[in-house]
PDB file of all heavy atoms in Angstrom:
ATOM      1  N   GLY G   1     -73.075 -41.244-152.666  1.00  0.00           N
ATOM      2  CA  GLY G   1     -71.957 -41.015-153.583  1.00  0.00           C
ATOM      3  C   GLY G   1     -70.819 -40.229-152.983  1.00  0.00           C
ATOM      4  O   GLY G   1     -69.768 -40.074-153.616  1.00  0.00           O
ATOM      5  N   VAL G   2     -71.010 -39.722-151.754  1.00  0.00           N
ATOM      6  CA  VAL G   2     -69.929 -38.984-151.091  1.00  0.00           C
ATOM      7  C   VAL G   2     -69.012 -39.989-150.409  1.00  0.00           C
ATOM      8  O   VAL G   2     -69.470 -40.781-149.578  1.00  0.00           O
ATOM      9  CB  VAL G   2     -70.490 -37.988-150.057  1.00  0.00           C
ATOM     10  CG1 VAL G   2     -69.350 -37.267-149.342  1.00  0.00           C
ATOM     11  CG2 VAL G   2     -71.421 -36.993-150.731  1.00  0.00           C
ATOM     12  N   PRO G   3     -67.722 -39.998-150.734  1.00  0.00           N
ATOM     13  CA  PRO G   3     -66.799 -40.954-150.084  1.00  0.00           C
ATOM     14  C   PRO G   3     -66.778 -40.752-148.573  1.00  0.00           C
ATOM     15  O   PRO G   3     -66.997 -39.646-148.072  1.00  0.00           O
ATOM     16  CB  PRO G   3     -65.440 -40.604-150.707  1.00  0.00           C
ATOM     17  CG  PRO G   3     -65.762 -39.886-151.979  1.00  0.00           C
ATOM     18  CD  PRO G   3     -67.045 -39.162-151.729  1.00  0.00           C
ATOM     19  N   ALA G   4     -66.511 -41.843-147.866  1.00  0.00           N
ATOM     20  CA  ALA G   4     -66.518 -41.791-146.404  1.00  0.00           C
ATOM     21  C   ALA G   4     -65.586 -40.717-145.873  1.00  0.00           C
ATOM     22  O   ALA G   4     -65.895 -40.037-144.886  1.00  0.00           O
ATOM     23  CB  ALA G   4     -66.136 -43.160-145.832  1.00  0.00           C
ATOM     24  N   ASN G   5     -64.445 -40.539-146.525  1.00  0.00           N
ATOM     25  CA  ASN G   5     -63.471 -39.571-146.012  1.00  0.00           C
ATOM     26  C   ASN G   5     -63.860 -38.125-146.315  1.00  0.00           C
ATOM     27  O   ASN G   5     -63.134 -37.194-145.947  1.00  0.00           O
ATOM     28  CB  ASN G   5     -62.071 -39.857-146.561  1.00  0.00           C
ATOM     29  CG  ASN G   5     -61.999 -39.739-148.079  1.00  0.00           C
ATOM     30  OD1 ASN G   5     -63.013 -39.588-148.748  1.00  0.00           O
ATOM     31  ND2 ASN G   5     -60.794 -39.818-148.612  1.00  0.00           N
ATOM     32  N   GLU G   6     -64.993 -37.923-146.991  1.00  0.00           N
ATOM     33  CA  GLU G   6     -65.462 -36.568-147.282  1.00  0.00           C
ATOM     34  C   GLU G   6     -66.782 -36.245-146.585  1.00  0.00           C
ATOM     35  O   GLU G   6     -67.395 -35.203-146.856  1.00  0.00           O
ATOM     36  CB  GLU G   6     -65.626 -36.385-148.799  1.00  0.00           C
ATOM     37  CG  GLU G   6     -64.308 -36.493-149.568  1.00  0.00           C
ATOM     38  CD  GLU G   6     -64.509 -36.331-151.059  1.00  0.00           C
ATOM     39  OE1 GLU G   6     -65.611 -35.895-151.468  1.00  0.00           O
ATOM     40  OE2 GLU G   6     -63.557 -36.644-151.818  1.00  0.00           O
ATOM     41  N   THR G   7     -67.223 -37.119-145.691  1.00  0.00           N
ATOM     42  CA  THR G   7     -68.510 -36.903-145.023  1.00  0.00           C
ATOM     43  C   THR G   7     -68.394 -36.064-143.752  1.00  0.00           C
ATOM     44  O   THR G   7     -69.408 -35.761-143.118  1.00  0.00           O
ATOM     45  CB  THR G   7     -69.168 -38.247-144.653  1.00  0.00           C
ATOM     46  OG1 THR G   7     -68.290 -38.974-143.771  1.00  0.00           O
ATOM     47  CG2 THR G   7     -69.454 -39.077-145.900  1.00  0.00           C
ATOM     48  N   GLY G   8     -67.182 -35.690-143.389  1.00  0.00           N
ATOM     49  CA  GLY G   8     -66.971 -34.932-142.161  1.00  0.00           C
ATOM     50  C   GLY G   8     -67.867 -33.717-142.012  1.00  0.00           C
ATOM     51  O   GLY G   8     -68.498 -33.536-140.960  1.00  0.00           O
ATOM     52  N   PRO G   9     -67.976 -32.842-143.032  1.00  0.00           N
ATOM     53  CA  PRO G   9     -68.816 -31.648-142.891  1.00  0.00           C
ATOM     54  C   PRO G   9     -70.288 -31.989-142.621  1.00  0.00           C
ATOM     55  O   PRO G   9     -70.964 -31.262-141.890  1.00  0.00           O
ATOM     56  CB  PRO G   9     -68.656 -30.949-144.248  1.00  0.00           C
ATOM     57  CG  PRO G   9     -67.318 -31.397-144.741  1.00  0.00           C
ATOM     58  CD  PRO G   9     -67.195 -32.819-144.284  1.00  0.00           C
ATOM     59  N   TYR G  10     -70.788 -33.090-143.206  1.00  0.00           N
ATOM     60  CA  TYR G  10     -72.173 -33.482-142.981  1.00  0.00           C
ATOM     61  C   TYR G  10     -72.375 -33.973-141.548  1.00  0.00           C
ATOM     62  O   TYR G  10     -73.352 -33.620-140.879  1.00  0.00           O
ATOM     63  CB  TYR G  10     -72.576 -34.580-143.964  1.00  0.00           C
ATOM     64  CG  TYR G  10     -72.474 -34.158-145.417  1.00  0.00           C
ATOM     65  CD1 TYR G  10     -71.316 -34.402-146.162  1.00  0.00           C
ATOM     66  CD2 TYR G  10     -73.533 -33.513-146.046  1.00  0.00           C
ATOM     67  CE1 TYR G  10     -71.211 -34.012-147.486  1.00  0.00           C
ATOM     68  CE2 TYR G  10     -73.446 -33.121-147.376  1.00  0.00           C
ATOM     69  CZ  TYR G  10     -72.281 -33.374-148.089  1.00  0.00           C
ATOM     70  OH  TYR G  10     -72.190 -32.977-149.400  1.00  0.00           O
ATOM     71  N   ILE G  11     -71.430 -34.789-141.084  1.00  0.00           N
ATOM     72  CA  ILE G  11     -71.528 -35.333-139.731  1.00  0.00           C
ATOM     73  C   ILE G  11     -71.364 -34.226-138.695  1.00  0.00           C
ATOM     74  O   ILE G  11     -72.102 -34.160-137.704  1.00  0.00           O
ATOM     75  CB  ILE G  11     -70.473 -36.437-139.523  1.00  0.00           C
ATOM     76  CG1 ILE G  11     -70.728 -37.585-140.500  1.00  0.00           C
ATOM     77  CG2 ILE G  11     -70.507 -36.944-138.089  1.00  0.00           C
ATOM     78  CD1 ILE G  11     -69.604 -38.604-140.554  1.00  0.00           C
ATOM     79  N   ASN G  12     -70.422 -33.325-138.951  1.00  0.00           N
ATOM     80  CA  ASN G  12     -70.220 -32.218-138.023  1.00  0.00           C
ATOM     81  C   ASN G  12     -71.445 -31.311-137.967  1.00  0.00           C
ATOM     82  O   ASN G  12     -71.780 -30.773-136.901  1.00  0.00           O
ATOM     83  CB  ASN G  12     -68.994 -31.397-138.435  1.00  0.00           C
ATOM     84  CG  ASN G  12     -67.703 -32.164-138.258  1.00  0.00           C
ATOM     85  OD1 ASN G  12     -67.650 -33.144-137.524  1.00  0.00           O
ATOM     86  ND2 ASN G  12     -66.656 -31.728-138.945  1.00  0.00           N
ATOM     87  N   ALA G  13     -72.115 -31.145-139.096  1.00  0.00           N
ATOM     88  CA  ALA G  13     -73.287 -30.269-139.138  1.00  0.00           C
ATOM     89  C   ALA G  13     -74.429 -30.839-138.313  1.00  0.00           C
ATOM     90  O   ALA G  13     -75.066 -30.127-137.532  1.00  0.00           O
ATOM     91  CB  ALA G  13     -73.726 -30.054-140.582  1.00  0.00           C
ATOM     92  N   ILE G  14     -74.710 -32.150-138.452  1.00  0.00           N
ATOM     93  CA  ILE G  14     -75.839 -32.719-137.717  1.00  0.00           C
ATOM     94  C   ILE G  14     -75.535 -32.816-136.227  1.00  0.00           C
ATOM     95  O   ILE G  14     -76.384 -32.494-135.386  1.00  0.00           O
ATOM     96  CB  ILE G  14     -76.254 -34.092-138.296  1.00  0.00           C
ATOM     97  CG1 ILE G  14     -77.568 -34.559-137.652  1.00  0.00           C
ATOM     98  CG2 ILE G  14     -75.178 -35.143-138.126  1.00  0.00           C
ATOM     99  CD1 ILE G  14     -78.174 -35.775-138.328  1.00  0.00           C
ATOM    100  N   SER G  15     -74.314 -33.225-135.871  1.00  0.00           N
ATOM    101  CA  SER G  15     -73.978 -33.315-134.455  1.00  0.00           C
ATOM    102  C   SER G  15     -73.899 -31.923-133.840  1.00  0.00           C
ATOM    103  O   SER G  15     -74.317 -31.717-132.689  1.00  0.00           O
ATOM    104  CB  SER G  15     -72.667 -34.073-134.249  1.00  0.00           C
ATOM    105  OG  SER G  15     -71.594 -33.416-134.901  1.00  0.00           O
ATOM    106  N   GLY G  16     -73.416 -30.958-134.598  1.00  0.00           N
ATOM    107  CA  GLY G  16     -73.351 -29.585-134.103  1.00  0.00           C
ATOM    108  C   GLY G  16     -74.721 -29.018-133.831  1.00  0.00           C
ATOM    109  O   GLY G  16     -74.941 -28.351-132.811  1.00  0.00           O
ATOM    110  N   ALA G  17     -75.666 -29.286-134.737  1.00  0.00           N
ATOM    111  CA  ALA G  17     -77.030 -28.785-134.558  1.00  0.00           C
ATOM    112  C   ALA G  17     -77.690 -29.415-133.344  1.00  0.00           C
ATOM    113  O   ALA G  17     -78.291 -28.733-132.505  1.00  0.00           O
ATOM    114  CB  ALA G  17     -77.854 -29.065-135.813  1.00  0.00           C
ATOM    115  N   ILE G  18     -77.582 -30.729-133.237  1.00  0.00           N
ATOM    116  CA  ILE G  18     -78.250 -31.425-132.133  1.00  0.00           C
ATOM    117  C   ILE G  18     -77.614 -31.065-130.795  1.00  0.00           C
ATOM    118  O   ILE G  18     -78.321 -30.833-129.804  1.00  0.00           O
ATOM    119  CB  ILE G  18     -78.235 -32.940-132.388  1.00  0.00           C
ATOM    120  CG1 ILE G  18     -79.166 -33.254-133.578  1.00  0.00           C
ATOM    121  CG2 ILE G  18     -78.657 -33.718-131.147  1.00  0.00           C
ATOM    122  CD1 ILE G  18     -79.108 -34.671-134.073  1.00  0.00           C
ATOM    123  N   ASN G  19     -76.303 -30.973-130.753  1.00  0.00           N
ATOM    124  CA  ASN G  19     -75.646 -30.572-129.512  1.00  0.00           C
ATOM    125  C   ASN G  19     -76.014 -29.145-129.117  1.00  0.00           C
ATOM    126  O   ASN G  19     -76.134 -28.829-127.928  1.00  0.00           O
ATOM    127  CB  ASN G  19     -74.133 -30.702-129.644  1.00  0.00           C
ATOM    128  CG  ASN G  19     -73.669 -32.147-129.646  1.00  0.00           C
ATOM    129  OD1 ASN G  19     -74.349 -33.027-129.132  1.00  0.00           O
ATOM    130  ND2 ASN G  19     -72.518 -32.401-130.238  1.00  0.00           N
ATOM    131  N   ALA G  20     -76.197 -28.286-130.108  1.00  0.00           N
ATOM    132  CA  ALA G  20     -76.583 -26.908-129.813  1.00  0.00           C
ATOM    133  C   ALA G  20     -77.943 -26.857-129.131  1.00  0.00           C
ATOM    134  O   ALA G  20     -78.151 -26.082-128.192  1.00  0.00           O
ATOM    135  CB  ALA G  20     -76.604 -26.077-131.095  1.00  0.00           C
ATOM    136  N   TRP G  21     -78.863 -27.694-129.560  1.00  0.00           N
ATOM    137  CA  TRP G  21     -80.180 -27.719-128.923  1.00  0.00           C
ATOM    138  C   TRP G  21     -80.114 -28.376-127.560  1.00  0.00           C
ATOM    139  O   TRP G  21     -80.802 -27.971-126.620  1.00  0.00           O
ATOM    140  CB  TRP G  21     -81.200 -28.412-129.824  1.00  0.00           C
ATOM    141  CG  TRP G  21     -81.585 -27.508-130.942  1.00  0.00           C
ATOM    142  CD1 TRP G  21     -81.246 -27.618-132.262  1.00  0.00           C
ATOM    143  CD2 TRP G  21     -82.313 -26.281-130.824  1.00  0.00           C
ATOM    144  NE1 TRP G  21     -81.728 -26.543-132.956  1.00  0.00           N
ATOM    145  CE2 TRP G  21     -82.386 -25.719-132.114  1.00  0.00           C
ATOM    146  CE3 TRP G  21     -82.905 -25.614-129.750  1.00  0.00           C
ATOM    147  CZ2 TRP G  21     -83.036 -24.498-132.352  1.00  0.00           C
ATOM    148  CZ3 TRP G  21     -83.554 -24.404-129.988  1.00  0.00           C
ATOM    149  CH2 TRP G  21     -83.614 -23.866-131.273  1.00  0.00           C
ATOM    150  N   ALA G  22     -79.276 -29.377-127.417  1.00  0.00           N
ATOM    151  CA  ALA G  22     -79.115 -30.005-126.102  1.00  0.00           C
ATOM    152  C   ALA G  22     -78.522 -29.023-125.101  1.00  0.00           C
ATOM    153  O   ALA G  22     -78.812 -29.097-123.899  1.00  0.00           O
ATOM    154  CB  ALA G  22     -78.231 -31.244-126.218  1.00  0.00           C
ATOM    155  N   ASP G  23     -77.707 -28.087-125.571  1.00  0.00           N
ATOM    156  CA  ASP G  23     -77.052 -27.123-124.702  1.00  0.00           C
ATOM    157  C   ASP G  23     -77.904 -25.890-124.417  1.00  0.00           C
ATOM    158  O   ASP G  23     -77.501 -25.037-123.609  1.00  0.00           O
ATOM    159  CB  ASP G  23     -75.722 -26.668-125.322  1.00  0.00           C
ATOM    160  CG  ASP G  23     -74.678 -27.776-125.337  1.00  0.00           C
ATOM    161  OD1 ASP G  23     -74.825 -28.741-124.567  1.00  0.00           O
ATOM    162  OD2 ASP G  23     -73.731 -27.680-126.138  1.00  0.00           O
ATOM    163  N   SER G  24     -79.050 -25.783-125.059  1.00  0.00           N
ATOM    164  CA  SER G  24     -79.898 -24.604-124.845  1.00  0.00           C
ATOM    165  C   SER G  24     -80.302 -24.494-123.383  1.00  0.00           C
ATOM    166  O   SER G  24     -80.677 -25.471-122.739  1.00  0.00           O
ATOM    167  CB  SER G  24     -81.158 -24.690-125.711  1.00  0.00           C
ATOM    168  OG  SER G  24     -82.038 -23.616-125.410  1.00  0.00           O
ATOM    169  N   ARG G  25     -80.242 -23.292-122.844  1.00  0.00           N
ATOM    170  CA  ARG G  25     -80.637 -23.069-121.459  1.00  0.00           C
ATOM    171  C   ARG G  25     -82.137 -22.836-121.326  1.00  0.00           C
ATOM    172  O   ARG G  25     -82.670 -22.819-120.221  1.00  0.00           O
ATOM    173  CB  ARG G  25     -79.866 -21.875-120.884  1.00  0.00           C
ATOM    174  CG  ARG G  25     -78.356 -22.096-120.801  1.00  0.00           C
ATOM    175  CD  ARG G  25     -77.669 -20.839-120.314  1.00  0.00           C
ATOM    176  NE  ARG G  25     -77.856 -19.738-121.259  1.00  0.00           N
ATOM    177  CZ  ARG G  25     -77.594 -18.457-120.978  1.00  0.00           C
ATOM    178  NH1 ARG G  25     -77.151 -18.133-119.774  1.00  0.00           N
ATOM    179  NH2 ARG G  25     -77.773 -17.523-121.884  1.00  0.00           N
ATOM    180  N   LYS G  26     -82.809 -22.645-122.443  1.00  0.00           N
ATOM    181  CA  LYS G  26     -84.256 -22.411-122.426  1.00  0.00           C
ATOM    182  C   LYS G  26     -85.005 -23.738-122.507  1.00  0.00           C
ATOM    183  O   LYS G  26     -84.493 -24.710-123.073  1.00  0.00           O
ATOM    184  CB  LYS G  26     -84.659 -21.510-123.597  1.00  0.00           C
ATOM    185  CG  LYS G  26     -83.994 -20.145-123.590  1.00  0.00           C
ATOM    186  CD  LYS G  26     -84.406 -19.321-124.793  1.00  0.00           C
ATOM    187  CE  LYS G  26     -83.619 -18.018-124.859  1.00  0.00           C
ATOM    188  NZ  LYS G  26     -83.939 -17.096-123.770  1.00  0.00           N
ATOM    189  N   PRO G  27     -86.230 -23.808-121.979  1.00  0.00           N
ATOM    190  CA  PRO G  27     -87.019 -25.039-122.125  1.00  0.00           C
ATOM    191  C   PRO G  27     -87.324 -25.316-123.597  1.00  0.00           C
ATOM    192  O   PRO G  27     -87.714 -24.413-124.338  1.00  0.00           O
ATOM    193  CB  PRO G  27     -88.313 -24.718-121.356  1.00  0.00           C
ATOM    194  CG  PRO G  27     -87.954 -23.604-120.438  1.00  0.00           C
ATOM    195  CD  PRO G  27     -86.915 -22.798-121.155  1.00  0.00           C
ATOM    196  N   THR G  28     -87.116 -26.554-124.008  1.00  0.00           N
ATOM    197  CA  THR G  28     -87.359 -26.943-125.397  1.00  0.00           C
ATOM    198  C   THR G  28     -88.343 -28.101-125.439  1.00  0.00           C
ATOM    199  O   THR G  28     -88.267 -29.025-124.630  1.00  0.00           O
ATOM    200  CB  THR G  28     -86.048 -27.345-126.093  1.00  0.00           C
ATOM    201  OG1 THR G  28     -85.389 -28.361-125.307  1.00  0.00           O
ATOM    202  CG2 THR G  28     -85.118 -26.157-126.245  1.00  0.00           C
ATOM    203  N   ILE G  29     -89.256 -28.033-126.383  1.00  0.00           N
ATOM    204  CA  ILE G  29     -90.276 -29.073-126.550  1.00  0.00           C
ATOM    205  C   ILE G  29     -90.185 -29.595-127.977  1.00  0.00           C
ATOM    206  O   ILE G  29     -90.180 -28.819-128.936  1.00  0.00           O
ATOM    207  CB  ILE G  29     -91.690 -28.526-126.307  1.00  0.00           C
ATOM    208  CG1 ILE G  29     -91.812 -27.944-124.893  1.00  0.00           C
ATOM    209  CG2 ILE G  29     -92.734 -29.618-126.528  1.00  0.00           C
ATOM    210  CD1 ILE G  29     -93.136 -27.239-124.644  1.00  0.00           C
ATOM    211  N   CYS G  30     -90.119 -30.901-128.132  1.00  0.00           N
ATOM    212  CA  CYS G  30     -90.191 -31.515-129.452  1.00  0.00           C
ATOM    213  C   CYS G  30     -91.620 -31.983-129.666  1.00  0.00           C
ATOM    214  O   CYS G  30     -92.084 -32.906-128.991  1.00  0.00           O
ATOM    215  CB  CYS G  30     -89.216 -32.680-129.570  1.00  0.00           C
ATOM    216  SG  CYS G  30     -89.106 -33.319-131.263  1.00  0.00           S
ATOM    217  N   ALA G  31     -92.325 -31.334-130.573  1.00  0.00           N
ATOM    218  CA  ALA G  31     -93.699 -31.694-130.919  1.00  0.00           C
ATOM    219  C   ALA G  31     -93.629 -32.656-132.094  1.00  0.00           C
ATOM    220  O   ALA G  31     -93.555 -32.238-133.256  1.00  0.00           O
ATOM    221  CB  ALA G  31     -94.509 -30.454-131.275  1.00  0.00           C
ATOM    222  N   MET G  32     -93.652 -33.935-131.783  1.00  0.00           N
ATOM    223  CA  MET G  32     -93.400 -34.965-132.787  1.00  0.00           C
ATOM    224  C   MET G  32     -94.703 -35.290-133.523  1.00  0.00           C
ATOM    225  O   MET G  32     -95.499 -36.102-133.100  1.00  0.00           O
ATOM    226  CB  MET G  32     -92.788 -36.191-132.109  1.00  0.00           C
ATOM    227  CG  MET G  32     -91.495 -35.850-131.355  1.00  0.00           C
ATOM    228  SD  MET G  32     -90.840 -37.188-130.340  1.00  0.00           S
ATOM    229  CE  MET G  32     -90.210 -38.284-131.629  1.00  0.00           C
ATOM    230  N   ASN G  33     -94.871 -34.631-134.664  1.00  0.00           N
ATOM    231  CA  ASN G  33     -96.085 -34.766-135.462  1.00  0.00           C
ATOM    232  C   ASN G  33     -96.151 -36.082-136.226  1.00  0.00           C
ATOM    233  O   ASN G  33     -97.136 -36.359-136.910  1.00  0.00           O
ATOM    234  CB  ASN G  33     -96.163 -33.614-136.461  1.00  0.00           C
ATOM    235  CG  ASN G  33     -94.916 -33.544-137.331  1.00  0.00           C
ATOM    236  OD1 ASN G  33     -93.825 -33.288-136.827  1.00  0.00           O
ATOM    237  ND2 ASN G  33     -95.060 -33.803-138.621  1.00  0.00           N
ATOM    238  N   GLY G  34     -95.125 -36.893-136.102  1.00  0.00           N
ATOM    239  CA  GLY G  34     -95.085 -38.180-136.777  1.00  0.00           C
ATOM    240  C   GLY G  34     -93.863 -38.951-136.319  1.00  0.00           C
ATOM    241  O   GLY G  34     -93.274 -38.662-135.273  1.00  0.00           O
ATOM    242  N   SER G  35     -93.463 -39.911-137.106  1.00  0.00           N
ATOM    243  CA  SER G  35     -92.368 -40.809-136.732  1.00  0.00           C
ATOM    244  C   SER G  35     -91.018 -40.098-136.739  1.00  0.00           C
ATOM    245  O   SER G  35     -90.837 -39.074-137.409  1.00  0.00           O
ATOM    246  CB  SER G  35     -92.323 -42.002-137.692  1.00  0.00           C
ATOM    247  OG  SER G  35     -93.528 -42.749-137.603  1.00  0.00           O
TER     248      SER G  35
END
């Protein structure tokens, strides 16, 4: 129900979070407990 032109904050939040983890200098492990 959110119009396309109002989804910016949602898209910025997910890309910001994922990029932040990609930029981490510490070793990171994804323990994928499922799909």
Side-chain angles (χ1 to χ4, degrees):
V2 178
N5 62 352
E6 296 179 13
T7 60
Y10 299 93
I11 298 169
N12 292 341
I14 189 170
S15 60
I18 291 172
N19 287 336
W21 285 108
D23 291 340
S24 174
R25 296 176 297 166
K26 300 178 186 293
T28 54
I29 301 173
C30 188
M32 303 172 73
N33 56 295
S35 298

